[in-house]
Amino acid sequence: MSAVPLPRLRGVGRRRAGGGRPAVTSQVVQLAGALLVLLGYLLAQAGSRSPSSFRYLLPNLLGSSLLAGDAFYERQWGFVLLEGVWALVSAWSLVEKLCGAEPPAVAH
């Protein structure tokens, strides 16, 4: 039996035209951001974290900020809007929590 070659991901590890950062850097940023957002969500769904807790809001803020920044760099305006608003809502909730106000309950 001969080994089956693995498919090569298009653009991974290559520099973008115009001297931009390598595509693999963008993928690492996207994966880190997505994992942060999903980690908080999964912990909240499992009942381990409250959606108004620091341990939920902070990963959401960090992850959505990473994703919004990457989307801005890549000029993907729909994702800039989505992740930017997500980051603003998380930041607003964190500020309210730091000031002693309880953020509104998150609909699931």
Side-chain angles (χ1 to χ4, degrees):
M1 286 186 123
S2 63
V4 176
L6 295 175
R8 178 164 168 81
L9 297 175
R10 265 184 26 173
V12 171
R14 297 184 189 149
R15 286 218 168 266
R16 298 194 189 295
R21 67 181 177 197
V24 70
T25 303
S26 181
Q27 291 296 312
V28 169
V29 169
Q30 290 173 16
L31 287 171
L35 287 173
L36 284 167
V37 170
L38 290 172
L39 175 65
Y41 178 74
L42 290 173
L43 291 173
Q45 289 300 308
S48 175
R49 300 284 183 267
S50 164
S52 62
S53 72
F54 284 111
R55 290 185 177 182
Y56 175 83
L57 294 170
L58 191 58
N60 262 294
L61 175 61
L62 295 174
S64 57
S65 296
L66 279 172
L67 291 169
D70 186 71
F72 181 82
Y73 182 83
E74 299 290 335
R75 297 179 180 176
Q76 296 180 5
W77 308 120
F79 286 110
V80 170
L81 176 64
L82 175 68
E83 296 302 336
V85 168
W86 194 272
L88 289 173
V89 168
S90 296
W92 181 271
S93 296
L94 274 171
V95 168
E96 283 187 334
K97 189 157 185 69
L98 289 170
C99 292
E102 193 65 25
V106 176
H108 291 277

